[in-house]
Amino acid sequence: MLSKAADLSLPARPPGTSASPRGTPAVRLDGVVKRFGAVTALEETWLQVEQGEFLTLLGPSGCGKTTLLNLMAGFLEADAGEIFIGGDLVTATPPYEREIGIVFQNYALFPHMNVAKNVGYGLRMRGVPKREIARRVDEALALVKLSGFADRSPRQLSGGQQQRVALARALVIQPKVLLLDEPFSALDKNLRGSMQVELKEIQRRLGVTTVFVTHDQGEALSMSDRIVVMSAGRVRQVGTPDQVYRHPQDRFVAGFIGDVNRLPGRLEACAGERATVAIRDLRRDVEATALRDCAAGAEVDVFVRPDHLGVRPAGEAGSLPACVAALVYQGSHIDLYADLADGGRVLVRMPGQGALATYAPGTPVGILVPQGGLVAFPPEP
Amino acid sequence: MRRGLRSRVLGISGKLLVGLILAFIVLPAFVVTLAAFNDRAILSFPPAKYSTRWFTRALTYRDFQTGLWNSLVVTAWASTIALAVGTGFAIALKRYAFRFKAGLEGVLLSPLIVPHFTIGLGLLVLATGIGAARGFPVVVVTHVIVVLPFVIRSVYISLQNIDERLELAAASLGARPGRVLGTITLPLLAPGLVSGWLFAAILSFNEFTASLFVTGQATQTLPVAMYGYVREFADPTLAAVSVIYIAVTAALLTVANTFLGLGKVLNVEQGR
C-alpha cells in the first residue's frame, strides 16, 4: 500500500524531501488578530503548524476556529499580525495564490460540473495540459476510491461520496496545506467513523499538512497530532490529544474535552509541582500549575474523568457518600449517575454490565476518588 | 348537525369565490378571443358568424406592421441592455458594501413606484432638450428604465440562491476573480439571467404609457399603434391583435417552461 504513494503525483512528501527547508513550519501565525466591528473574533494568536502535521482547531461555535481557518485560506484579512505559509509571507496574498486546498462542511461541489470536472478544476485554473489533467484526476479519484464516478453529477452522489470528491478536488492541486471545515458534521454517525479513518489514512500516506476545524472533541482526540483548544476568540491550550485530555491547562479545556465531573474542594497546601486538595475529608494530590495564585484554604474545583471514579458499598473508607440516581446502559459500559450527599451529581463510567444488577436507583453508595488523574482549578470568578 | 351544515355552506361558497376570481382573470382574454373571430364589424357578443378577416386586416395594416417591427427592435435592445446593466447592479447590491447602497437601491427600484407617464414625460422633455426626441435611442432608454427593477430583482434572487462557498472553493483552487465569475457565478446564474431577460422582454413588449410620450410616427411601438387605431376605428381588428399578443406570450412562456422549467424561470419556487 505504501509503495503506491510514490506513483502518485499527489503531494507525496516523505520527510526531508519537502520543498521548503527542513524545520520551516507549514503555517505560522504571528500575533494575528481579527475583529468584526466592535467584536474581536480572534484575539492575538501565535501558532505554528509543522510540516505534515494533522492539527485540529477545537472549540464550541463562536470560539474563533472558523475565523482562524478563513484567515489561513485568505478569505478574511487579518487586522494585525502576519501569516506565513511554507515560510512565505502571505498576509496580503489573495486565496487564489495561496495554494491551499479546502473542504467545506457542505462540500461546495460545483453543481454544474461532473465529478471529473470538479476534481480537475484547480488544474485547469493552473493551465495544466489536458492529458495530464485527465491522468491526475484519475489518480485522485482512485485515491478516494471513486474510480468510475468521473461522469456522475454531484447530485447523483451520496453525502460520503460528495465528501470524497471534495477531498480529491482539494488534494489534486498538491496544496501546501489542506484545510478541513467541519467536514464530517453532515454525515451520519456510521459513515462518519469510517470516513475519519479513511481521511486519516490518506493524510498520513500523502504527508499533507492538515488543519482541521471541529466542535466534536471525540473527532479531535481520535484524529489529531496536536489539538488547539479555543474558546471566546482565544487559544486556551495547544497540545497532543493526551496532553489536553489528561493535563488540561484551564477549566475550560478540562470541561470541554471529554466527559468530566467537578467536585468542590479546598486547597490545603501548595508545594512545588504538586498541591494537596481536600474533597470533604479525602486528601488528594493534584498538579499545582493552575493553583499558584491560590492561598491555602481557598476553594477550588477538582475535575475527574467518569472512568477514573469507582463505586463502592456505602461508608467505605476513601469514598464520598452518595445515592444512585440512574443507570444508563451504553453497550460497552454502564454510565452510573449518583447524587452526592453534599449536593451535586457525578457520572461514573464502569466497564461491563455488573453494575446493572448491583446498584438499583436509590441505593446508597460510596464514590471512590482515585489518587491520580485529578486536576484542580480556581473557581470561576 | 348545524356545524356540519355551516361548514358545508362555507366550503361551497369558498369554492364558488375561488371559481369567480379565476373566471374574472381569464374572462377578458376569453371575450376578446371570441370577438376576434366575429365576422361582424361591431364588437358584439356572442358572435353570430365566425371568420378570420380581422386577423388578415391586423396583419396587413401598415401601422401595425411597423409597430410590431418597432416593438420587436425596442424589446430586443431594451431587455438585453437592462439585463447587462441590471446584472451588474444586482451583483454590486448583493456582494458589496458601500456608501449610499440603500439610496442606490431605492433609485434603481423607483420605476416600480413612479408612474410610467412621469418617466415618459420626463424623458420626452430631456430628449427634446438635446434634440433627440422621438428617436429609437430614447424609446429604448425609456424601456430600460421601466424594466430594470424586474431584472435586478430576478438576478438578485438567483444570486441569493448561489452558495458563496462555491466561489470561495474556486478561489482556493486558484481561480482569479474574473475566472470565478466566468466559470462558477455566471453559469449558476444562467436561469436567473434568462428569467430576468424574459420578464424584461414581456414587460417591454407590453409597455404603453411611457411609450406614448416618447414615440413618434416612425418609432411607435405596437401598443401605441393599437391606441391610435382604437381612436379611429371600432372594429374587432384590435381583438385580433390581442389574440396574437396572447398567443406569442404564451408561446414564449411554453418554450421557457420546456427548456428551463417555468418555476425556475419565473422564480416561483425559490427554494430549489
Side-chain angles (χ1 to χ4, degrees):
Chain A
M1 271 296 121
L2 267 169
S3 65
K4 245 191 148 175
D7 304 329
L8 288 163
S9 51
L10 286 158
R13 283 191 194 126
T17 62
S18 62
S20 45
R22 216 181 166 147
T24 308
V27 183
R28 201 174 96 211
L29 303 178
D30 282 1
V32 171
V33 176
K34 180 65 197 176
R35 295 184 201 92
F36 294 111
V39 183
T40 304
L42 187 71
E43 290 183 33
E44 194 177 300
T45 297
W46 302 74
L47 186 67
Q48 285 197 0
V49 190
E50 305 304 333
Q51 291 287 351
E53 186 178 27
F54 195 113
L55 184 90
T56 297
L57 307 178
L58 173 68
S61 60
C63 73
K65 57 189 194 297
T66 303
T67 303
L68 192 51
L69 189 88
N70 285 334
L71 285 164
M72 289 184 192
F75 300 148
L76 292 176
E77 261 178 65
D79 292 310
E82 304 288 1
I83 300 170
F84 298 86
I85 292 180
D88 302 324
L89 180 69
V90 297
T91 313
T93 307
Y96 52 85
E97 285 171 359
R98 289 203 181 185
E99 293 180 60
I100 41 119
I102 185 158
V103 176
F104 287 104
Q105 184 177 356
N106 69 345
Y107 320 131
L109 296 181
F110 307 133
H112 57 304
M113 298 181 194
N114 65 20
V115 168
K117 285 267 184 322
N118 262 283
V119 176
Y121 186 85
L123 299 174
R124 286 202 299 284
M125 293 303 122
R126 282 165 174 70
V128 174
K130 259 192 177 155
R131 285 182 49 193
E132 198 188 331
I133 292 179
R135 184 177 60 81
R136 284 167 69 176
V137 167
D138 280 351
E139 284 170 358
L141 287 177
L143 181 78
V144 297
K145 297 177 185 151
L146 278 182
S147 301
F149 284 74
D151 297 327
R152 300 274 186 98
S153 147
R155 260 181 291 259
Q156 296 170 288
L157 302 180
S158 69
Q161 288 167 337
Q162 289 185 29
Q163 175 166 62
R164 288 155 193 263
V165 175
L167 187 62
R169 184 178 70 179
L171 286 172
V172 81
I173 60 167
Q174 307 189 349
K176 289 178 179 165
V177 189
L178 177 64
L179 304 178
L180 306 169
D181 185 10
E182 306 244 4
F184 301 118
S185 51
L187 299 176
D188 68 59
K189 202 171 172 234
N190 287 332
L191 195 56
R192 204 180 300 169
S194 65
M195 278 307 296
Q196 284 168 5
V197 172
E198 206 170 311
L199 173 69
K200 186 68 195 167
E201 198 186 299
I202 290 172
Q203 191 268 337
R204 200 174 295 142
R205 198 155 92 195
L206 302 176
V208 60
T209 309
T210 303
V211 177
F212 174 66
V213 163
T214 185
H215 65 270
D216 183 322
Q217 34 97 5
E219 236 167 59
L221 289 173
S222 66
M223 299 186 71
S224 322
D225 295 323
R226 283 193 305 156
I227 297 175
V228 179
V229 186
M230 299 180 69
S231 140
R234 270 197 319 128
V235 171
R236 296 302 184 117
Q237 185 172 357
V238 182
T240 63
D242 193 53
Q243 280 166 349
V244 296
Y245 185 79
R246 292 212 314 192
H247 306 287
Q249 275 168 9
D250 72 9
R251 55 182 301 135
F252 173 81
V253 178
F256 189 73
I257 312 262
D259 291 325
V260 76
N261 292 299
R262 198 181 75 202
L263 303 170
R266 191 170 293 280
L267 182 64
E268 297 235 308
C270 203
E273 294 293 295
R274 307 301 295 176
T276 310
V277 295
I279 307 160
R280 206 175 152 103
D281 56 352
L282 310 176
R283 282 201 175 65
R284 295 290 182 262
D285 256 17
V286 296
E287 282 177 50
T289 334
L291 300 173
R292 292 251 159 78
D293 298 335
C294 298
E299 283 185 10
V300 294
D301 286 334
V302 181
F303 287 81
V304 56
R305 299 287 174 197
D307 48 336
H308 286 164
L309 292 174
V311 180
R312 291 288 179 273
E316 196 176 295
S319 70
L320 300 171
C323 183
V324 175
L327 286 151
V328 181
Y329 178 70
Q330 299 280 17
S332 61
H333 60 265
I334 301 288
D335 281 346
L336 182 147
Y337 293 88
D339 291 326
L340 295 174
D342 293 349
R345 176 168 283 191
V346 292
L347 165 64
V348 186
R349 189 155 289 158
M350 293 179 291
Q353 276 81 50
L356 275 181
T358 324
Y359 305 106
T363 315
V365 290
I367 301 297
L368 193 69
V369 181
Q371 284 291 351
L374 300 178
V375 285
F377 298 102
E380 272 176 310
Chain B
M1 273 299 272
R2 274 185 56 201
R3 224 188 126 83
L5 184 68
R6 188 195 288 173
S7 72
R8 249 172 65 195
V9 169
L10 276 177
I12 290 169
S13 50
K15 278 174 192 149
L16 202 68
L17 183 67
V18 173
L20 279 175
I21 291 171
L22 293 180
F24 270 117
I25 291 174
V26 292
L27 203 61
F30 180 71
V31 170
V32 164
T33 307
L34 270 186
F37 291 98
N38 192 346
D39 187 52
R40 295 181 56 191
I42 301 156
L43 286 170
S44 62
F45 184 85
K49 193 181 166 217
Y50 293 92
S51 95
T52 55
R53 55 189 275 218
W54 306 116
F55 285 91
T56 316
R57 175 155 167 78
L59 293 171
T60 51
Y61 187 66
R62 253 201 79 91
D63 271 12
F64 286 168
Q65 285 177 339
T66 54
L68 176 65
W69 177 246
N70 289 347
S71 268
L72 289 175
V73 170
V74 168
T75 293
W77 278 105
S79 47
T80 306
I81 293 171
L83 181 69
V85 175
T87 302
F89 276 124
I91 290 176
L93 289 174
K94 175 76 180 72
R95 294 290 166 80
Y96 300 99
F98 48 88
R99 281 180 74 188
F100 309 122
K101 182 171 169 171
L104 177 70
E105 196 176 342
V107 170
L108 288 170
L109 298 184
S110 67
L112 290 173
I113 305 155
V114 176
H116 285 191
F117 63 79
T118 312
I119 296 168
L121 184 62
L123 280 161
L124 174 65
V125 174
L126 276 176
T128 313
I130 59 165
R134 306 195 191 282
F136 272 115
V138 178
V139 183
V140 170
V141 167
T142 308
H143 280 217
V144 168
I145 291 172
V146 169
V147 302
L148 199 56
F150 296 93
V151 177
I152 291 175
R153 294 262 328 140
S154 170
V155 177
Y156 189 91
I157 288 166
S158 307
L159 270 174
Q160 236 162 4
N161 289 337
I162 295 180
D163 183 355
E164 283 185 44
R165 277 176 289 193
L166 295 174
E167 293 166 319
L168 293 181
S172 79
L173 291 166
R176 291 170 174 278
R179 301 206 70 181
V180 174
L181 187 71
T183 56
I184 307 294
T185 316
L186 286 181
L188 292 176
L189 210 53
L193 297 180
V194 173
S195 88
W197 189 89
L198 208 62
F199 254 135
I202 291 171
L203 288 168
S204 166
F205 199 64
N206 286 320
E207 211 292 322
F208 166 67
T209 320
S211 308
L212 186 62
F213 287 85
V214 294
T215 54
Q217 186 59 37
T219 57
Q220 66 177 352
T221 54
L222 189 52
V224 178
M226 288 165 71
Y227 173 69
Y229 188 89
V230 82
R231 286 173 23 132
E232 289 183 47
F233 309 101
D235 61 41
T237 309
L238 270 190
V241 176
S242 302
V243 170
I244 295 171
Y245 247 111
I246 293 169
V248 169
T249 310
L252 212 61
L253 288 178
T254 309
V255 169
N257 189 25
T258 311
F259 290 103
L260 298 145
L262 198 60
K264 249 193 210 165
V265 170
L266 297 179
N267 287 319
V268 175
E269 302 166 72
Q270 285 168 25
R272 314 198 74 178

